[in-house]
Amino acid sequence: MCGICGVIGGDSEKELPRVRAMTSALAHRGPDDEGIHAEADAVLGNRRLEVIDLAGGHQPMANEDESLWITFNGEIYNYEALRRELTAAGHRFRSRSDTEVILHLYEEDGERCLDKLRGMFAFAIWDRRRQRLFAARDRFGQKPLFYAISGDRFLFASEIKGLLAAGLPVQPEPAAIDYYLALRFVPPPLSMFRGIEKLPAGHYLTWSRGALDVRRWWELSFDREKALTEDEWLHELDSKLRDSVSAHLVSDVAVGAMLSGGLDSSIVLAYMEELLGPSIPTFAIGSSVRSYDERPYARIVSQRFRTNHIERTESSNILAEIPPLVRCLDEPSDPIAACFFAASRLAASHVKVVVGGDGGDELFAGFDRYAAWRWLDWYRRLPLPVREGIRKLSSMSRDSFAYKSFSQKAQWLAHVGSESGAAARYARMNNFTRFDPERRRDLYGPFMRESLACCEAEQAILRPFEEGPAVDMLHRMLYTDIVTKLPEHTLMLSDRLSMAHGLEMRAPLLDHELAGLVATMPAQLKLRNGTTKWALRRLASRWLPPEISSRPKQGFMLPVAHWLNEDTGKSLQDSLTSGLLVKDGWIQVGAVDRLFREHLGRRADHHVRIWMLLNLEVWLGLYVNGTPVLSEFLSKVAATNPRKPVAAGRPQSG
């Protein structure tokens, strides 16, 4: 696992200091080693986290005649099998690393080498003979790649901070801010910074003599179903899951596991224990607010598989993490980022590599909204006066701020059910807790209104929903989530916040061979009679107790809604209404005041919207205005709410 960067074109002597600054900015991604290769037309940089071939995997790495140079971020899980094939074809290796395998595979197959790679990756290969850069991002977007064109130079890096370290100008992108507030992700090629773009998941690019070419090389298709019995499906699923988890354990250092007590992380751990035995390091975070705390379930799983379990209680000082979070991400986030940050910090203090359950909800249909779709048809059949009564009741009732409260469910029905078309309802699902078009029009100040012709951020999800390779409604939703929110929200947070702590996060459920199988599984095996992840639950029941295998979905979250209380809320309200967003015309003070009044009066749970605005204010101050706004107040929050200590040790086996 690494941080990669480079500059193609320009004077290499002048670019060398810039690339050194870029690698320095990415040092957290690779604290174990640093390397730079410079020649006439290219300078490549690398920061390395040593996981495979600790002694021989130094980067950038060259082929035998040094006509090709690579800087690589990620893990190739089938590298040993590929190495044997390439050796049989006459290639000679100087290391045991997966990095060198990519180089030789590129020599053999060119761009088609991507089809043979099983893993997560972002890499760039400088082809001296052809004077061409070839760069690629893995199928699901587990590893990032950003780039910019400055004059005759092409710059790339694993994170935006790497490009900013090269001296690129800092300009906010208003369209990206609109996407962020509407959807909580910024779709490629945009980033939060004008002129800095990101390569989409499953795409590659070439840069040659001033010409950029970006192409898709992989796409998951849901338009074909495989004809198997249910028992045959469970057998196939069991075989692929075991194979994927086994592949994801390749490492020269110890591998631990994130453990939430949910179905995905628990079934991954079940296969790990079968392959490695007991005493696997497992990590969990939780809250003192019981309805948000998943640690009791994580302990059940830990006891079942006899792990060395370590956990931490997070309290309201998590609000003080907003400035560090923004610095890690180079962009604003939502409250889930705080959960990733806390979990990664805990695991990184014990291991270099962990596996988790990322992707399980999107592949196997685990989110509540997939099951709730059927309630929309029921709601739409109600007489208009009844629907209007539900809407008014939901808006007038006080919110308990409990997870999946009645008030929130009623608001969701009224919000999503107001649309008649499937695509429009799906769009409403995705901005229920964020800012829908009406809220954004009310929120935006004169600068944003002038910068945006209209609020059409929802098109980023409507296009794949309507045009993607899927037929039935469930698979249309799964496909859209996989190509939009999964890479640019979930996996973005997972990568950036684990690497911020020098931790490698792996996702066995996102193995492309497993995903290809699950994509051909009939929808009724994923969602049946309101039960999400139906086939996965049946499979999990072989190892897991019923309180885990049958447990409803609980999101990975902390009780931020409760922490934004009367004590902290009024001060944050004052800070936002007198801050940069309002002063510079990005947002209007009245809309902010309404959000706080309704939240503090418990008429509606706006904690996600408030958190997003706080993040945007901090981001604007840190990156655009050079002012660490809100940091002092958020630090006071930490001082009055000290973090509770780690509770470590192996539980008694059950």
Side-chain angles (χ1 to χ4, degrees):
M1 197 60 59
C2 303
I4 67 173
C5 60
V7 179
I8 308 301
D11 183 341
S12 61
E13 289 188 9
K14 292 181 180 178
E15 303 306 332
L16 187 56
R18 290 193 179 97
V19 175
R20 287 199 179 103
M22 294 167 79
T23 59
S24 179
L26 300 173
H28 54 281
R29 296 186 68 92
D32 297 330
D33 190 21
E34 178 181 17
I36 293 177
H37 167 71
E39 58 180 72
D41 299 295
V43 184
L44 306 181
N46 186 277
R47 292 292 312 215
R48 183 175 177 231
L49 181 70
E50 295 173 349
V51 173
I52 292 176
D53 192 8
L54 309 189
H58 179 76
Q59 296 187 51
M61 187 178 290
N63 63 345
E64 298 95 328
D65 64 3
E66 298 190 351
S67 61
L68 299 174
W69 284 85
I70 184 172
T71 181
F72 165 60
N73 170 30
E75 299 292 351
I76 306 302
Y77 303 121
N78 63 335
Y79 79 98
E80 291 180 327
L82 292 172
R83 179 191 174 102
R84 288 192 293 271
E85 293 177 11
L86 290 164
T87 299
H91 291 264
R92 296 294 175 261
F93 289 81
R94 294 179 288 188
S95 74
R96 295 188 302 105
S97 73
D98 51 350
T99 307
E100 191 176 4
V101 168
I102 300 174
L103 266 179
H104 288 283
L105 196 60
Y106 178 78
E107 284 184 302
E108 190 77 14
D109 296 330
E111 291 91 338
R112 295 191 306 277
C113 72
L114 297 169
D115 298 328
K116 296 183 178 180
L117 298 178
R118 183 182 190 182
M120 55 179 181
F121 53 84
F123 64 80
I125 294 176
W126 171 243
D127 189 332
R128 179 189 298 162
R129 290 197 183 101
R130 299 171 68 181
Q131 289 291 288
R132 187 183 81 152
L133 183 79
F134 171 69
R137 192 177 177 200
D138 65 64
R139 294 169 177 85
F140 290 102
Q142 294 180 72
K143 296 291 105 182
L145 189 65
F146 294 88
Y147 62 89
I149 298 171
S150 178
D152 60 352
R153 300 178 304 149
F154 182 86
L155 303 89
F156 67 91
S158 294
E159 298 181 18
I160 290 172
K161 59 175 57 68
L163 294 173
L164 297 180
L168 291 180
V170 176
Q171 292 182 291
E173 175 53 70
I177 293 175
D178 188 46
Y179 282 119
Y180 162 68
L181 292 172
L183 306 172
R184 217 337 275 141
F185 69 87
V186 179
L190 287 183
S191 78
M192 293 292 291
F193 298 83
R194 183 171 293 173
I196 295 179
E197 300 189 341
K198 57 187 167 187
L199 186 65
H203 284 63
Y204 72 79
L205 67 80
T206 58
W207 172 265
S208 180
R209 297 177 175 86
L212 175 67
D213 185 24
V214 177
R215 300 189 183 190
R216 180 193 291 274
W217 68 271
W218 187 83
E219 182 177 35
L220 186 64
S221 176
F222 287 86
D223 60 0
R224 294 187 184 91
E225 288 189 1
K226 206 172 180 180
L228 297 174
T229 67
E230 289 185 7
D231 286 342
E232 287 171 337
W233 269 115
L234 292 178
H235 176 76
E236 290 281 321
L237 188 57
D238 174 50
S239 177
K240 281 293 184 187
L241 276 167
R242 181 176 288 102
D243 176 59
S244 176
V245 172
S246 176
H248 281 69
L249 297 180
V250 60
S251 174
D252 291 340
V253 298
V255 179
M258 294 297 194
L259 188 58
S260 68
L263 183 64
D264 299 332
S265 64
S266 298
I267 198 169
V268 168
L269 180 63
Y271 285 104
M272 283 184 71
E273 196 270 345
E274 182 181 283
L275 293 162
L276 299 179
S279 302
I280 295 166
T282 55
F283 309 96
I285 63 166
S287 163
S288 56
V289 179
R290 185 175 178 182
S291 62
Y292 287 81
D293 193 8
E294 294 191 276
R295 288 174 302 167
Y297 299 101
R299 291 173 198 142
I300 292 172
V301 179
S302 171
Q303 290 169 356
R304 168 67 181 81
F305 297 110
R306 300 167 294 165
T307 74
N308 287 329
H309 190 58
I310 303 165
E311 62 183 42
R312 186 195 298 273
T313 300
E314 296 297 329
S315 55
S316 60
N317 67 356
I318 205 75
L319 294 171
E321 306 283 18
I322 290 177
L325 279 170
V326 171
R327 291 189 185 96
C328 290
L329 298 170
D330 298 320
E331 60 183 77
S333 67
D334 64 2
I336 296 175
C339 304
F340 277 98
F341 191 73
S344 296
R345 175 171 50 203
L346 175 60
S349 62
H350 298 274
V351 294
K352 277 188 178 182
V353 180
V354 289
V355 298
D358 285 349
D361 289 316
E362 292 83 359
L363 277 177
F364 292 96
F367 290 123
D368 292 333
R369 62 178 178 271
Y370 302 143
W373 187 268
R374 65 192 177 107
W375 288 100
L376 295 173
D377 291 332
W378 166 83
Y379 178 81
R380 294 285 304 173
R381 288 195 294 269
L382 293 174
L384 182 61
V386 176
R387 281 183 279 153
E388 185 64 18
I390 292 175
R391 187 191 66 79
K392 288 182 178 179
L393 181 64
S394 68
S395 64
M396 292 169 56
S397 61
R398 284 170 61 85
D399 200 319
S400 67
F401 293 172
Y403 182 64
K404 301 181 183 179
S405 68
F406 171 79
S407 175
Q408 290 171 5
K409 290 177 180 178
Q411 289 176 24
W412 185 89
L413 270 177
H415 178 82
V416 180
S418 63
E419 299 288 353
S420 57
R425 289 202 295 270
Y426 179 75
R428 286 281 182 179
M429 281 184 174
N430 283 275
N431 60 30
F432 169 59
T433 60
R434 301 177 181 95
F435 293 88
D436 58 29
E438 295 81 10
R439 285 189 183 276
R440 301 204 305 282
R441 281 193 288 269
D442 183 52
L443 175 70
Y444 290 158
F447 179 78
M448 277 294 282
R449 290 179 177 178
E450 291 173 9
S451 301
L452 299 172
C454 56
C455 302
E456 293 188 346
E458 287 74 13
Q459 288 300 316
I461 55 176
L462 290 176
R463 282 191 295 270
F465 182 83
E466 294 175 328
E467 300 170 7
V471 179
D472 64 79
M473 188 58 61
L474 176 64
H475 285 154
R476 290 170 70 186
M477 289 191 284
L478 296 181
Y479 172 82
T480 306
D481 285 350
I482 285 170
V483 299
T484 58
K485 291 189 294 183
L486 179 65
E488 305 309 338
H489 180 239
T490 303
L491 296 179
M492 183 277 288
L493 295 177
S494 180
D495 169 81
R496 225 74 89 246
L497 298 176
S498 60
M499 294 307 298
H501 297 93
L503 178 72
E504 177 175 306
M505 179 79 74
R506 299 180 178 181
L509 299 182
L510 287 178
D511 177 74
H512 77 279
E513 295 182 6
L514 172 63
L517 173 71
V518 176
T520 64
M521 181 185 290
Q524 64 266 26
L525 295 184
K526 298 164 187 166
L527 179 62
R528 180 176 294 186
N529 298 326
T531 299
T532 58
K533 298 180 182 174
W534 187 85
L536 195 63
R537 291 183 190 277
R538 274 203 61 191
L539 186 63
S541 65
R542 300 176 183 178
W543 297 282
L544 301 173
E547 57 262 50
I548 303 300
S549 62
S550 301
R551 185 181 167 219
K553 171 71 179 177
Q554 179 167 339
F556 187 28
M557 59 200 314
L558 293 167
V560 177
H562 294 272
W563 295 339
L564 290 172
N565 53 31
E566 201 66 50
D567 293 335
T568 60
K570 190 62 176 69
S571 297
L572 289 173
Q573 179 180 358
D574 293 341
S575 296
L576 270 178
T577 54
S578 62
L580 299 169
L581 287 170
V582 171
K583 287 180 180 177
D584 294 345
W586 295 89
I587 64 175
Q588 298 193 90
V589 65
V592 177
D593 281 334
R594 279 191 293 276
L595 286 177
F596 276 95
R597 281 200 309 271
E598 292 175 3
H599 183 88
L600 297 179
R602 302 184 79 89
R603 292 194 298 275
D605 181 358
H606 290 311
H607 83 272
V608 174
R609 298 183 183 99
I610 292 171
W611 178 283
M612 292 175 74
L613 291 177
L614 291 172
N615 271 252
L616 191 56
E617 178 78 13
V618 170
W619 176 81
L620 193 66
L622 290 176
Y623 285 88
V624 181
N625 291 61
T627 307
V629 292
L630 285 178
S631 299
E632 183 178 350
F633 171 75
L634 293 171
S635 296
K636 291 179 181 177
V637 173
T640 56
N641 295 277
R643 188 184 306 279
K644 294 185 179 180
V646 172
R650 181 196 281 185
Q652 297 298 312
S653 59

